[in-house]
């Protein structure tokens, strides 16, 4: 038997210190390399090549960008490539695999009926906590701070608060916008102009009116209008309908400007594999820290204004905006607990800022996608206007705008359908994110506890045929609700990729045409306990704006080079361009 000669070993160590050191370093590096490599979850399909490299699937993101496609296409692409409604991907060294699910019916079942098995997800909270750390959007539901943070906004989305406070405020701001466009329509004289920035002012105004009660003189729409009025611009010409009218640029100010800078910083967090590190450096950037300071300063002025109103008129229920409600509640709570009201608390600030941040870009996105289609789909525009003229027949015969009360009392099924169809084909978010709180049985595979789950919102089963799934592997609750499965449109007269609002309509028992959200796959606002908190407000505002814009303007066809279907991804998805060529339908609307 060979024996180890310690003398030889010692001599070797003395003579070859470099070789040994090198071998040890190499060994260590190899162990680190092995630990950094992706660790695929058993039984869930994945890209084998990606599993063999440190960067995992990241090269696929780079390839998408290089080929001019959106990197947000990635997740639906994985499902398509693997031909599986459940897949996984690897986001880089030392990260856990993320599961992707791409089946509408099972996603809805998981988010709504199996929600107890889920939480918000570390990748979800990682998006937000650096920007609004005290808002519930950046907290898992299991966070002890979550119930209190959420309770600050209780009641703000109730039908009565929306009808009595938020929507009347938004209505007035939309009329201001109609005035701006009446002026622009007159100047451009049927020449096209871009609507994207204008829509920022409009959605900024309506959200800030609902959240903060901004006054007209604080509105970017009104400031823009006043500046244009004094600009003495030459009138465009209808024969130049293929030339964009060069309106002078007007940039967002105040809270909207700060919101955009902070929203941009969240965009970067979406692809950061180490969110804490990302936020540490991002919040040090001068532009971001300036925007954070600015939003705090501006919000405090609205909080102080609300406090003064309460001091003058007492704790009242006649609020003008969300800030009045939040401030009144804090004052009442402080009184009860014999303490001073904490009116500068980060909780109150983030609660208000979350309202603006969550509401502005998203509403802007859907609105711009919808209006972009109006020029191309003259048939949809005509049908929609016909519905509005039938519903608001008194306003039509009296040649005035529908009032807010008329609007709130009306159901416009075709309008609902146009909004839903826009959101189905142009989702503002690329995916919904959750985390498995325990080992989760999903379509016959196991998603381990602690895994982040990305639910796609387009691709298979949304705007293209679903990937086939055996009924038996679906969850029990999914099987029990089989009758809720939406119609398969693949072989219908209107395939899933087409824009066809009628697919959301059906006849009710009395033969009336009604909008039915269950007709098709749609999760644009998410679902379950963490679905969009502002969904009701968003639907109302989109309906309100579309009604007043179609009432007041014809969206004329555009020259071919101003029509595109491109999408760019910021904080949320936006159309790359949105031009309008307007013809006024009624004389300039009076403000009151
Ligand atoms: C068309 C407009 C909007 C769209 C498409 C939209 C979309 C979404 C989506 C997809 C989510 C994630 C839901 C999930 O994970 O299940 C979400 C969450 C959220 N949205 Fe919206 N949203 C819109 C408008 C608004 C408005 C107007 C507000 C506030 C006034 C708002 C506030 C929020 C908040 C606070 C959350 C986080 C909910 C939570 O974490 O529990 N959103 N939204």
């Amino acid at each position: 038997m060979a024996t180890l000669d310690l003398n030889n070993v010692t001599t070797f160590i003395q003579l070859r210190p470099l070789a040994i050191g090198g071998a040890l370093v190499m060994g260590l590096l190899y162990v680190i390399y092995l630990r950094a490599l992706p660790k695929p979850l058993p039984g869930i399909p994945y890209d084998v090549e990606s599993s063999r490299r440190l960067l995992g699937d990241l090269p696929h993101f780079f390839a998408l960008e290089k080929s001019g496609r959106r990197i947000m296409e990635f997740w639906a692409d994985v499902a398509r490539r693997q031909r599986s409604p459940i897949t996984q991907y690897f986001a880089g060294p030392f990260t856990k695999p993320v599961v992707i699910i791409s089946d509408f019916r099972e996603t809805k079942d998981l988010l709504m009926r199996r929600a107890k098995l889920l939480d918000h997800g570390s990748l979800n909270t990682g998006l937000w906590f650096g920007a609004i750390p005290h808002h519930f959007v950046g907290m898992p539901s299991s966070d002890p701070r979550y119930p209190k943070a959420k309770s600050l906004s209780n009641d703000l989305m109730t039908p009565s608060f929306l009808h009595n406070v938020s929507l009347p405020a938004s209505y007035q701001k939309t009329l201001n916008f109609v005035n701006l466009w009446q002026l622009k329509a007159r100047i451009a004289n049927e020449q096209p102009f871009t609507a994207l920035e204008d829509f920022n002012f409009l959605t900024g105004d309506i959200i800030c009116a609902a959240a903060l009660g901004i006054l007209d003189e604080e509105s970017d729409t009104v400031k823009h209008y006043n500046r244009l009025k004094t600009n003495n611009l030459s009138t465009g010409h209808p024969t130049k309908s293929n030339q964009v009218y060069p309106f002078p640029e007007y940039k967002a100010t105040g809270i909207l400007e700060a919101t955009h800078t902070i929203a941009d910083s969240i965009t970067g967090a979406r692809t950061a594999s180490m969110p804490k590190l990302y936020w540490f450096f991002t919040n040090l950037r001068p532009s971001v820290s300036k925007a954070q300071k600015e939003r705090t300063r501006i919000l405090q002025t609205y909080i102080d204004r609300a406090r003064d109103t309460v001091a003058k008129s007492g704790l009242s229920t006649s609020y003008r905006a969300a800030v009045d409600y939040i401030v009144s509640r804090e004052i009442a709570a402080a009184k009860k607990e014999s303490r001073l009201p904490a009116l500068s608390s980060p909780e109150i600030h983030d609660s208000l800022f979350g309202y603006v941040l969550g509401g502005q870009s998203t509403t802007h996105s859907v609105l711009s996608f919808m209006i972009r289609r109006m020029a191309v789909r003259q048939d949809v525009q005509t049908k929609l206007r016909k519905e509005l003229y039938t519903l608001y027949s008194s306003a039509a015969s009296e040649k005035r705008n529908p009032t807010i009360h008329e609007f709130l009392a009306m159901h416009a099924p075709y309008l609902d359908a146009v909004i839903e169809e826009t959101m189905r084909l142009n989702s503002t978010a690329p995916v919904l994110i959750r985390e498995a709180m325990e080992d989760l049985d999903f379509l016959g595979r196991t998603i381990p506890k602690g895994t982040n789950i990305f639910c796609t919102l387009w691709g298979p089963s949304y705007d293209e045929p679903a990937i086939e799934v055996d009924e038996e592997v679906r969850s029990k609750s999914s099987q029990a609700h089989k009758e809720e499965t939406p119609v398969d449109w693949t072989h219908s007269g209107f395939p899933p990729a087409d824009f066809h609002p009628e697919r959301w309509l059906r006849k009710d028992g009395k033969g009336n045409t009604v909008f039915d959200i269950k007709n098709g796959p749609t999760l644009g606002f998410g679902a379950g306990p963490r679905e969009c908190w502002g969904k009701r407000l968003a639907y109302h505002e989109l309906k309100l704006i579309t009604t007043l814009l179609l009432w007041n303007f014809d969206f004329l066809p555009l020259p071919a080079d101003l029509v595109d279907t491109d999408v760019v991804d910021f904080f949320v998805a936006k159309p790359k361009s949105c031009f309008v060529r307007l013809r006024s339908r009624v004389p300039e609307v009076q403000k009151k």
Side-chain angles (χ1 to χ4, degrees), residues 157-188:
M157 292 296 152
T158 56
S160 90
F161 199 88
L162 291 176
H163 282 219
N164 296 320
V165 182
S166 320
L167 292 163
S170 302
Y171 175 83
Q172 188 52 50
K173 300 295 175 233
T174 311
L175 286 188
N176 290 345
F177 184 82
V178 169
N179 264 355
L180 170 69
W181 267 21
Q182 293 285 8
L183 178 61
K184 281 193 144 181
R186 216 171 41 233
I187 298 171

Side-chain angles (χ1 to χ4, degrees), residues 239-525:
T239 54
K240 293 185 187 165
S241 64
N242 56 351
Q243 289 175 32
V244 176
Y245 185 91
F247 279 112
E249 221 181 318
Y250 177 84
K251 288 221 177 302
T253 59
I255 191 77
L256 191 56
E257 190 187 4
T259 306
H260 285 167
T261 308
I262 294 166
D264 282 347
S265 65
I266 295 174
T267 309
R270 280 198 310 208
T271 40
S273 43
M274 292 185 222
K276 282 193 178 139
L277 206 61
Y278 169 84
W279 279 115
F280 177 76
F281 286 110
T282 299
N283 283 337
L284 289 179
R285 273 174 30 212
S287 59
V288 177
S289 84
K290 186 176 160 219
Q292 287 285 12
K293 280 190 195 119
E294 195 53 8
R295 67 110 163 165
T296 307
R297 185 190 65 76
I298 298 171
L299 289 180
Q300 195 61 48
T301 61
Y302 289 105
I303 294 170
D304 293 346
R305 200 187 277 176
R307 179 206 55 205
D308 293 348
T309 313
V310 173
K312 224 189 295 161
S313 17
L315 289 172
S316 118
T317 47
S318 54
Y319 307 118
R320 287 171 307 117
V323 65
D324 297 339
Y325 164 90
I326 291 176
V327 165
S328 298
R329 269 184 42 142
E330 172 56 16
I331 292 175
K335 207 169 171 187
K336 216 163 143 192
E337 294 158 20
S338 306
R339 59 168 173 84
L340 286 175
L343 293 179
S344 304
S345 73
E347 286 77 16
I348 288 192
H349 271 258
D350 278 4
S351 168
L352 285 168
F353 190 60
Y355 194 120
V356 178
L357 184 67
Q360 192 267 324
S361 288
T362 44
T363 314
H364 178 269
S365 159
V366 180
L367 176 65
S368 317
F369 280 124
M370 189 160 50
I371 292 299
R372 177 163 80 169
R373 287 189 190 272
M374 289 300 156
V376 185
R377 292 296 301 269
Q378 293 287 321
D379 56 326
V380 173
Q381 188 186 155
T382 309
K383 191 165 173 182
L384 189 47
R385 195 171 288 108
K386 193 169 163 210
E387 174 179 81
L388 298 177
Y389 271 72
T390 310
L391 288 175
Y392 302 107
S393 53
S394 310
S397 60
E398 291 160 23
K399 296 198 183 331
R400 58 166 175 82
N401 281 311
T403 64
I404 183 67
H405 302 293
E406 286 169 328
F407 169 79
L408 290 173
M410 218 54 88
H411 288 289
Y414 192 63
L415 175 56
D416 291 338
V418 170
I419 293 171
E420 210 56 56
E421 188 67 343
T422 304
M423 290 184 61
R424 185 181 68 88
L425 292 178
N426 291 115
S427 178
T428 57
V431 289
L432 303 172
I433 307 174
R434 296 292 188 274
E435 186 171 324
M437 298 313 285
E438 52 189 76
D439 286 359
L440 195 75
D441 179 24
F442 190 84
L443 293 179
R445 331 273 169 136
T446 303
I447 304 177
K449 178 181 174 179
T451 306
N452 273 278
I453 303 170
F454 280 20
C455 316
T456 55
L457 292 174
W458 64 75
S461 82
Y462 290 89
D463 54 356
E464 60 193 69
I467 297 166
E468 225 167 282
V469 173
D470 282 344
E471 189 61 25
E472 309 88 71
V473 300
R474 291 195 179 275
S475 79
K476 292 215 160 43
S477 47
S478 173
Q479 291 183 35
H481 291 82
K482 188 172 180 225
E483 79 290 352
E484 285 180 19
T485 312
V487 188
D488 180 0
W489 291 317
T490 313
H491 305 293
S492 70
F494 37 91
D498 289 2
F499 184 80
H500 185 80
E502 287 76 3
R503 65 174 90 239
W504 296 99
L505 302 176
R506 65 168 174 82
K507 294 276 182 212
D508 69 3
K510 293 178 189 152
N512 298 319
T513 300
V514 290
F515 167 75
D516 191 346
I517 194 130
K518 291 204 182 116
N519 272 12
T522 177
L523 284 173
F525 287 102

